């Protein structure tokens, strides 16, 4: 049985949500760390505070990616239709978009974790 897709999630913008969140997370983490290390005292002197800030940014980014993945899973029809979605129909196009968005969300989730890993292992700025 084919279920109709909800119209409110039929947008190409959902495809770009998770990679954009990862890119913004990457910029926020590395720019904040660069400023913290280049200008001592500007953002404080406690490296633990920087690590906590990066952890907070990471958790927020991961939550946003999970929401994007849930929307993608919903657009994919909760996995009811197996790929490939290659028929020239609107339904298959939307299922493919949902599936691709779900995969990009998973990749972005892993990328956010790898972006935040240096904050776990580094304990001070090397000057």
């Amino acid at each position: 049985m084919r279920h109709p897709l909800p119209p409110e999630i039929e947008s190409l913008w959902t495809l770009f949500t998770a990679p954009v969140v990862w890119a913004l997370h990457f910029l926020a983490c590395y720019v904040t760390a660069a400023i913290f290390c280049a200008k001592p005292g500007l953002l404080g002197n406690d490296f633990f505070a920087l690590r906590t800030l990066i952890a907070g940014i990471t958790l927020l980014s991961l939550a946003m990616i999970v929401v994007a993945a849930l929307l993608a899973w919903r657009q994919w029809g909760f996995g009811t239709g197996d790929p490939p979605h290659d028929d020239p129909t609107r339904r298959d196009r939307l299922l493919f978009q949902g599936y691709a968005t779900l995969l990009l969300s998973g990749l972005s989730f892993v990328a956010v974790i790898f972006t935040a890993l240096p904050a776990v292992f580094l304990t001070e700025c090397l000057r």
Side-chain angles (χ1 to χ4, degrees), residues 68-90:
L70 289 174
L71 289 174
W73 189 47
R74 182 176 161 197
Q75 183 176 355
W76 185 35
F78 300 105
T80 57
D82 291 333
H85 305 294
D86 55 357
D87 289 337
T89 63
R90 182 174 193 278

Side-chain angles (χ1 to χ4, degrees), residues 13-117:
W13 290 107
T14 57
L15 184 66
F16 303 114
T17 303
V20 167
V21 168
W22 166 75
L24 293 175
H25 173 266
F26 184 90
L27 283 173
C29 288
Y30 281 89
V31 167
T32 304
I35 292 171
F36 180 85
C37 291
K39 304 279 186 181
L42 184 64
L43 298 176
N45 291 324
D46 187 15
F47 200 79
F48 182 75
L50 175 66
R51 294 169 84 178
T52 305
L53 178 63
I54 290 175
I57 293 169
T58 300
L59 291 176
L60 178 65
S61 297
L62 290 175
M64 292 170 71
I65 290 171
V66 166
V67 169
L70 289 174
L71 289 174
W73 189 47
R74 182 176 161 197
Q75 183 176 355
W76 185 35
F78 300 105
T80 57
D82 291 333
H85 305 294
D86 55 357
D87 289 337
T89 63
R90 182 174 193 278
R91 183 178 189 285
D92 268 9
R93 180 177 49 84
L94 292 173
L95 288 174
F96 175 77
Q97 179 184 333
Y99 185 62
T101 304
L102 185 62
L103 293 176
L104 275 173
S105 295
L107 180 64
S108 298
F109 191 91
V110 171
V112 163
I113 292 172
F114 274 95
T115 301
L117 275 180

